[in-house]
Structures are given as C-alpha cells and as structure tokens.
Amino acid sequence: MSVILVVDNAGIGNVVEIAQALGSQPTVIAAGPKQIAEELSGSLAVTWIAADGPAEALAPAVIALAADADVVLAADRSAERALLGQVAAARSIPVLPAVTGAAGNTVSRTTLNGLVAVTEAVSGPVALLVSGAPKPVPAGSGSFQEATPAATYQVAVVSESASQQAQVDLAGASRVIGVGRGIKAEADLAMIEELAAKLGAAIACSRPIAEGVGWLPRDRYLGVSGQVIAPALYLAVGISGQVQHMVGVRGSKAVVAINSDPNAPIFNECDAGVVADLYQIVPALTAALGAS
Amino acid sequence: MSVVVAYKWAASPNDASIAPDGSADWSRAKAAISEYDPVAIQVARDFADAAQAELIGISIGAPDVAGSLAKKAALSRGLDKAVLVADESLAGAGATLTGKVIAAAVNQIGGVELVITGDSSVDIGAHLVSATIAGALGWPVIPDALAVAGKPGELEVTQVTASGTRTLRVTGPAVVAVTADAAQPKIPGMKEILGAGKKPSEELPLAGLGVVVPTGVDTQASSRVEPPPRAKQLITAGDPTEAAAELAAWLRANV
Ligand SMILES: Cc1cc2nc3c(=O)[nH]c(=O)nc-3n(C[C@H](O)[C@H](O)[C@H](O)COP(=O)(O)OP(=O)(O)OC[C@H]3O[C@@H](n4cnc5c(N)ncnc54)[C@H](O)[C@@H]3O)c2cc1C
C-alpha cells in the first residue's frame, strides 16, 4: 500500500508513476487547500484533512494517516518535503531523496547533489522524495473523504503578503535565458530583457541571483534546489555551470553559453558557446538577431 | 534557556573526484561548515541574543565533526557551546538517522524549545534534516524561514511561499529551517577564532542516545552521472560583433 502526501500542488503525475512502478495504486493524503484535494479525487482516492491552518500545523494528522503505508511518497516541493521527513522520522523508516525512477522493489535516484546515480533495493517501509517538474495526473477514477485531525500543532498564519514581482511560467517556456553572477549590477538586467524580447525567451537565473542578491524572484532560479526545465533553448549568460545548476537544465534541447572564462564548466555541457565578455556579446547579439 | 542550531561538517562534492563507478575521492576536498549553515548559526546567534538565551550548536557525523578544526570553525561563528555526536557509523548517515540522533541530543540537553537549521547540506542537498529532526521530536517544522522573531515557545516566523511571504505564529517548541539568504553571516576574526578555543564542547556517545538505525535499503549499483553529450561548438572570434553574428546564425540554424 502506498500513499502520496500533497499540500498545494496537484501536479503529482511523476509521483504516481513511481508508486505504480513499485507495484501499487497510491492513495493521497491531502493537507492543503480543499480544492487541490477535490481536483485529485477525480483520479485517485483522496483523504483530505479537514482543518484550517497551514500544512505545518497538520503534521500529526498526516503522520497518523500514513502510519501503515509501505511506501510514503511526496513530490520534492517544500511543504510536501517537510511532511515526508516528519513521517519518516516519526516512523523511523529510511527516507530517500532525489528519486527519479523505480521498478519492482528497486528505486533509482541521485545523490551528492546530482553527481552520482544509485540503484537501491528496498525491503521494508520507506519514504521517497520524488524529483521532477509538476506533471498532471492522468484521468481515472477516484474518491474523496474527509478526516478530522485528532491533534494539530499550534501554527497559525498571521499575515500574508503577495510578491510584487511578476510570475513567469518557466516550465512552459520554449526558450529560456539564465543569468548568473557574471552580471555585475541589477540595472544590467535591462540588457538581458532586450535580448529576451528579441528571442521570445523567459528570464531565469542561477541561485545566487535569486537568493544572494535577490535581483530575480526565488521561483526563477534553476537547479537541484530550484526549477527543472526542458526548453528548446537554454542560453546561459555569465553562469559557471556548477552541477547544482546544470541538473535543472540538462533536459534542454540546445544549451548555449556566454562566459568570459574558457575553463568554465558550462563549456563542457553546451552545444554552442562564446568565450567572451557578456557585456559586449549580449548587446551585439540583440542587434544581430534584429538584423535578420 | 537554550536555543539549538544544527550544523553539518562536510566538503563540497564539486571538489571531490568522482570515479565512473560513482565512488568519491574526497582527499582534495576540504571539509568546512556546510555552505548554508553559517547563515543558520548567524540567525540563531541573533535570536539568542535578543531572547537572552544560550546558543548551543549540535553536529553529528563521522569522528572529524569533533576534531579541533571543526569545533573551532563552529564555535568561532558565535556558539556558546558545541554538543557533538561523533561516530564512525554516522559517516554518510541518511536523513532519518541524522534527524533522530540530533533530536536525541536535543532531548539530552533538555529545556530546548527552538532548533534552527540551514537550508540544505553542501554534500547531499536533500533539504530533509530539519523535517526529520522535527518528526523525531514531535515538533512542527517551519521551512523557508526568512526571519525568526519572538522568544522560544512563542515565535513569529516570516516564511517564503510560492507567491510571496507570510508570517506564522508558532506556539510551543519548533524546528525552523532558514533560507540561504536569511542573514549575512559574519566572518570570524582573530578574536573570535582565539576565543573559540576557550569555549566548552561536549561529546555524547552515540550508544548512550538509544537511537535505532533505520534499515531496509541496500545499494545495488552506482555510477557517476554523465551529462548528456553536446556538440561543444566554440565561437572564438575576437571581435564581439563577429562573434555575435556567428552565434545569431547558429541560433537561426539550430533552434
Ligand atoms: C546544497 C546546494 C544547492 C544548490 N542548489 C543550486 C541550484 O538549485 N541552482 C543553482 O543555480 N545553484 C545552486 N547551488 C549553487 C551552485 O553550487 C553555484 O554556486 C551557483 O550555481 C553559481 O552561480 P553562478 O554560475 O551564477 O555564479 P559563479 O559560479 O560565480 O559564476 C559566474 C560566472 O560568470 C562568469 N563571468 C563573470 N564575468 C563575466 C563577464 N563579464 N562576461 C561573461 N562571463 C562572466 C565567470 O567566468 C563565472 O563562470 C547550490 C549549492 C549548494 C551547496
């Protein structure tokens, strides 16, 4: 018997596939908005924890409902990951991160931040954190039931503030420009925006640009800890190409790099590359693309 | 009253050399306080100062976590004391075991109502240990925290969400995992490094913690992840206009 933990994203198609590959049709424990639970109940048997309050408060109920499952799974997203880790420790069962595949009783995943692939045989209850972009669940038959939590933690939302920065659908974009620390100032993003407009590309970034200097929102950085994309073109500008970043873009059809350091690792993972100062190449490329 | 911050002593796999069979040679990689953990220590130090609490660091792992290099590196970042569980059997411990051992150490210290952790470790990067500590303690975990205010047992946590930020009020003990940019960690100076040698540290024997090791996973095969093969066509024209024209032509032909 397997169960998938869901909070606020119904795109668990990839997690369902892993559960099925391990030999069972999963059910769902939903600890988030009712509407997400109802959406999934069109294709899976869903138990929704009927309570106000954030998923952080509902862990005791999730742990109780997942107490007997042989396999507990979750998509690798923040709220779901937090619940999965709590279930694993409360039940004292192993939790395997970065799962990418499964067959019979074996699980494939990566470790060392994406550098090493391992295949492991599982012989007992286990928790699996499944990698990959959100994927819709294929239509099927499901059901919906509510569970009233016996206990919750005292965690309450006091206030919320929406980000002023525009949300961009990176996963749906066919062309993406990634900017890295080769960009010296926030104002220089204007030059990237001009190129993006010419190419019809969305703008993403490396982690330090989102979480270090905060020039772009957090949902725009690519990599093991960020978004995973597979566009037709990924153009990396001033990005060194550390594995933690590349894991997020390896599915791209074409990878193109602009970097002034001929030894940057990105040049080992690109289809085309220009070894040059981005401050010279980016405006020139915008002009060259316009000239056609 | 004590606040705990959990930190890892680890080297970056980017500095290891990985053989085709997936085995890692760490001899040229230097262990340090894991990439994002200095941020956690800084947030914890600032919180402890405001709450007038003692700050205890907990680290668990292979024997080198209790080595003088590791202890000094952690204590010089502002801990009042370090509590270490160093045991050969904890080398490469998974998230469940790590969380349970840290939780057991927290219980041993006693009277702790707040455990702060970093975002994820430099070597594994699973973002799971904050949650397994919480699961083992029976406490809530608040991930993606930008700021922690209030006092132990009554926290206000600012959290990053997909659509912005929100503030959570947490009553009772909790684990809080801070984002990679929740604080700017101060680089320890000579004074802090010298002072670190005088600060106390304590080792807890693993056997005394009564932690049962989770089992049931056996490695069958491992290999180095090879990036997909690519053409690596380099444009080397010295003149930017020429290089840009070549790249534009490449894009028109291939994308
Ligand atoms: C646990 C963990 C998880 C992580 N997760 C992620 C993740 O999900 N995503 C991610 O991106 N990173 C992640 N990282 C960080 C990652 O290891 C790298 O540090 C990061 O990707 C580097 O970003 P960068 O390439 O922008 O910066 P740098 O590595 O500093 O590279 C900047 C590049 O710009 C080039 N450059 C400088 N000036 C110019 C110029 N004028 N013209 C052209 N080129 C120039 C330089 O040659 C250099 O190659 C993670 C790290 C850890 C420890």
Side-chain angles (χ1 to χ4, degrees):
Chain A
M1 183 188 99
S2 62
V3 342
I4 300 177
L5 312 182
V6 173
V7 179
D8 43 24
N9 193 321
I12 55 165
N14 56 329
V15 188
V16 172
E17 284 166 16
I18 298 285
Q20 288 170 341
L22 289 168
S24 71
Q25 180 63 14
T27 60
V28 168
I29 299 171
K34 187 175 190 183
Q35 150 224 346
I36 299 280
E38 283 174 340
E39 183 183 336
L40 283 170
S41 70
S43 28
L44 296 162
V46 176
T47 302
W48 177 63
I49 299 171
D52 293 338
E56 281 83 351
L58 305 181
V62 174
I63 292 168
L65 287 167
D68 302 318
D70 300 310
V71 186
V72 188
L73 308 97
D76 194 0
R77 291 186 274 274
S78 188
E80 285 83 356
R81 187 164 59 216
L83 291 174
L84 189 79
Q86 288 178 90
V87 169
R91 291 187 54 189
S92 202
I93 61 177
V95 52
L96 304 180
V99 171
T100 52
N105 68 339
T106 65
V107 169
S108 338
R109 63 188 191 95
T110 62
T111 183
L112 294 189
N113 258 312
L115 284 166
V116 173
V118 291
T119 308
E120 289 161 328
V122 173
S123 57
V126 70
L128 305 177
L129 191 56
V130 179
S131 289
K135 190 173 170 180
V137 180
S141 67
S143 62
F144 183 86
Q145 75 180 55
E146 293 191 6
T148 310
T152 56
Y153 291 135
Q154 287 185 63
V155 182
V157 179
V158 181
S159 63
E160 276 181 270
S161 77
S163 159
Q164 300 304 309
Q165 287 160 311
Q167 298 226 329
V168 168
D169 176 22
L170 286 181
S174 75
R175 294 172 172 197
V176 175
I177 300 179
V179 294
R181 284 212 304 217
I183 298 282
K184 301 289 177 289
E186 186 172 8
D188 300 339
L189 285 175
M191 169 181 84
I192 303 294
E193 277 157 18
E194 282 169 35
L195 175 60
K198 269 279 144 56
L199 274 174
I203 299 179
C205 62
S206 65
R207 189 170 188 176
I209 297 298
E211 284 192 349
V213 292
W215 294 342
L216 285 168
R218 284 157 205 274
D219 59 2
R220 299 261 203 113
Y221 81 83
L222 308 170
V224 266
S225 314
Q227 308 274 330
V228 176
I229 57 167
L233 169 67
Y234 179 60
L235 172 56
V237 180
I239 286 184
S240 59
Q242 297 297 331
V243 63
Q244 292 86 352
H245 181 78
M246 296 313 287
V247 163
V249 301
R250 279 187 180 150
S252 309
K253 192 147 175 295
V255 173
V256 176
I258 301 173
N259 194 306
S260 52
D261 174 7
N263 297 318
I266 186 107
F267 288 124
N268 291 320
E269 284 199 52
C270 69
D271 295 285
V274 186
V275 183
D277 183 353
L278 71 92
Y279 283 88
Q280 299 195 308
I281 294 296
V282 168
L285 180 60
T286 308
L289 288 166
S292 65
Chain B
M1 183 170 53
S2 308
V3 170
V4 162
V5 59
Y7 66 91
K8 187 169 191 177
W9 182 250
S12 169
N14 295 1
D15 301 328
S17 85
I18 314 281
D21 70 359
S23 61
D25 172 3
W26 295 95
S27 56
R28 274 188 297 163
K30 275 207 199 78
I33 307 283
S34 178
E35 182 118 351
Y36 300 125
D37 292 351
V39 177
I41 296 176
Q42 189 66 52
V43 171
R45 180 71 264 169
D46 295 345
F47 181 92
D49 286 344
Q52 294 183 308
E54 175 193 36
L55 179 60
I56 300 179
I58 296 182
S59 192
I60 73 116
D64 60 343
V65 304
S68 71
L69 198 61
K71 280 199 289 206
K72 269 201 185 137
L75 288 164
S76 66
R77 290 194 171 271
L79 307 180
D80 296 315
K81 179 183 175 183
V83 170
L84 308 157
V85 185
D87 195 288
E88 204 49 67
S89 69
L90 292 175
T96 302
L97 179 57
T98 301
K100 289 183 65 174
V101 174
I102 293 172
V106 168
N107 285 330
Q108 193 100 331
I109 292 167
V112 176
E113 286 191 285
L114 173 61
V115 176
I116 293 178
T117 77
D119 166 86
S120 56
S121 65
V122 68
D123 54 348
I124 303 296
H127 309 255
L128 271 169
V129 168
S130 52
T132 55
I133 297 171
L137 287 167
W139 297 1
V141 59
I142 314 297
D144 307 314
L146 271 179
V148 196
K151 55 182 192 201
E154 253 172 87
L155 301 173
E156 289 230 337
V157 183
T158 312
Q159 184 188 48
V160 180
T161 64
S163 55
T165 61
R166 65 183 184 183
T167 302
L168 299 174
R169 180 169 302 128
V170 189
T171 311
V175 180
V176 174
V178 300
T179 61
D181 57 350
Q184 192 62 47
K186 292 191 194 91
I187 315 274
M190 195 44 88
K191 183 168 155 258
E192 287 77 23
I193 293 167
L194 291 175
K198 301 190 193 83
K199 288 183 178 177
S201 65
E202 185 183 350
E203 270 193 62
L204 304 178
L206 178 61
L209 295 175
V211 174
V212 180
V213 179
T215 56
V217 177
D218 297 291
T219 304
Q220 295 195 316
S222 76
S223 60
R224 181 170 67 203
V225 172
E226 303 295 349
R230 303 221 176 242
K232 301 180 201 173
Q233 203 173 317
L234 286 195
I235 296 168
T236 50
D239 174 55
T241 315
E242 236 171 82
E246 270 188 57
L247 181 55
W250 189 95
L251 289 170
R252 281 190 206 104
N254 293 283
V255 179

